[in-house]
Amino acid sequence: MSRRETESDHGLITETKKKLKKPPLYKVLLHNDDYTTKEFVVQVLQYVFHKESTEAVQIMLHVHKKGIGVAGVYTYEIAETKVTLVENLARQHEYPLKCTMEEA
């Protein structure tokens, strides 16, 4: 066996880096109803989604006019937590506000 063949048989071991895929994102949606007050929806947008007052009002008006609106876009676990938090707050205040999530 020649020296060249021996060197190639014992080459350096290289590690390949795995490319991580970004996790899928989910839209958290608020649904309009005839009972939940606009003020409560704005408060939810500020408290749960950390929206500034003007942005919260804009989102609330969109939900009111279009029937549904995006409150935010998050990874699955965060979106799921926000949906649960919104629905729990709504029930505590006796509002039927519906909050869902769907893949973005």
Side-chain angles (χ1 to χ4, degrees), residues 28-33 38 41-42 45 54-71:
V28 177
L29 305 169
L30 294 177
H31 300 261
N32 189 43
D33 63 71
K38 294 176 184 177
V41 174
V42 169
L45 287 163
T54 53
E55 187 179 7
V57 169
Q58 289 174 344
I59 294 169
M60 175 276 297
L61 288 172
H62 180 84
V63 171
H64 180 68
K65 292 176 184 175
K66 302 290 184 179
I68 193 169
V70 178

Side-chain angles (χ1 to χ4, degrees), residues 29-31 40 44 48-49 80-101:
L29 305 169
L30 294 177
H31 300 261
F40 181 76
V44 164
V48 176
F49 300 96
E80 185 177 47
T81 300
K82 291 192 181 284
V83 167
T84 301
L85 185 55
V86 168
E87 290 190 337
N88 287 342
L89 283 170
R91 300 311 163 258
Q92 288 172 6
H93 291 86
E94 299 181 352
Y95 289 119
L97 180 62
K98 183 177 177 184
C99 185
T100 60
M101 59 189 260

Side-chain angles (χ1 to χ4, degrees), residues 13-19:
I13 297 174
T14 58
E15 291 183 26
T16 57
K17 292 185 179 180
K18 293 182 181 179
K19 291 185 180 181

